[in-house]
Amino acid sequence: MDQSFLGRGWGFPPQFASPDSGPEMAEGEELVKQAISTALNTLKGERPFWSELGSGLSNFVFEDANEAALVTLKQEISATLLNHEPRIILEDISFDPQKLYDGVLLIELTYLIRKTNSRSNMVFPFYLSEQSV
């Protein structure tokens, strides 16, 4: 099925096979997944030419994963994706606390691609302590 309406752009993180080939590209549903991840991983105001892009997820680093914090985290994720990813309808956000003691909260996102009505999901790892991915 042609998914060109979902877009085509630089894959994230940017990678180059060679200096002459240009960046590796992503398209379709993979590009949407990368856009979701980028929106959630970007701090609000971090990008000078698109300062409204981003989320407040960094406010939850070092927070206890109690029910009140998870409700607020869910609201932040919903607002971020509503504002920055118009190609999807977010259907569900759930949390998998399996790796919580390792400092990782797995966030399971279920969404619908608007143009195709195809359901998709992804797991977004949220690190509860400062560390590089």
Side-chain angles (χ1 to χ4, degrees):
M1 176 185 349
D2 177 27
Q3 294 187 349
S4 61
F5 56 85
L6 292 176
R8 178 176 161 82
W10 283 31
F12 192 82
Q15 297 179 6
F16 296 83
S18 73
D20 299 327
S21 66
E24 291 184 13
M25 304 299 277
E27 56 188 79
E29 291 187 23
E30 180 58 30
L31 185 64
V32 172
K33 283 185 180 189
Q34 290 180 6
I36 291 170
S37 183
T38 299
L40 294 176
N41 278 315
T42 301
L43 301 173
K44 287 181 181 174
E46 179 179 350
R47 298 199 175 189
F49 295 108
W50 193 5
S51 60
E52 67 274 3
L53 176 69
S55 73
L57 263 59
S58 62
N59 297 331
F60 295 91
V61 173
F62 305 117
E63 282 286 325
D64 289 333
N66 59 38
E67 191 162 337
L70 293 178
V71 167
T72 307
L73 181 61
K74 190 179 274 194
Q75 291 170 340
E76 179 63 31
I77 293 166
S78 294
T80 298
L81 295 180
L82 178 67
N83 291 325
H84 302 299
E85 191 42 69
R87 295 173 288 190
I88 68 166
I89 297 170
L90 186 61
E91 292 186 329
D92 188 44
I93 301 170
S94 60
F95 302 104
D96 180 354
Q98 241 177 324
K99 296 186 177 189
L100 204 52
Y101 291 108
D102 295 330
V104 181
L105 177 64
L106 298 176
I107 302 170
E108 300 171 359
L109 305 171
T110 304
Y111 56 91
L112 196 67
I113 304 285
R114 287 181 189 268
K115 294 274 186 178
T116 62
N117 283 330
S118 65
R119 184 167 277 111
S120 193
N121 58 50
M122 69 179 281
V123 175
F124 177 80
F126 179 62
Y127 297 93
L128 298 170
S129 59
E130 288 185 304
Q131 60 184 348
S132 61
V133 189

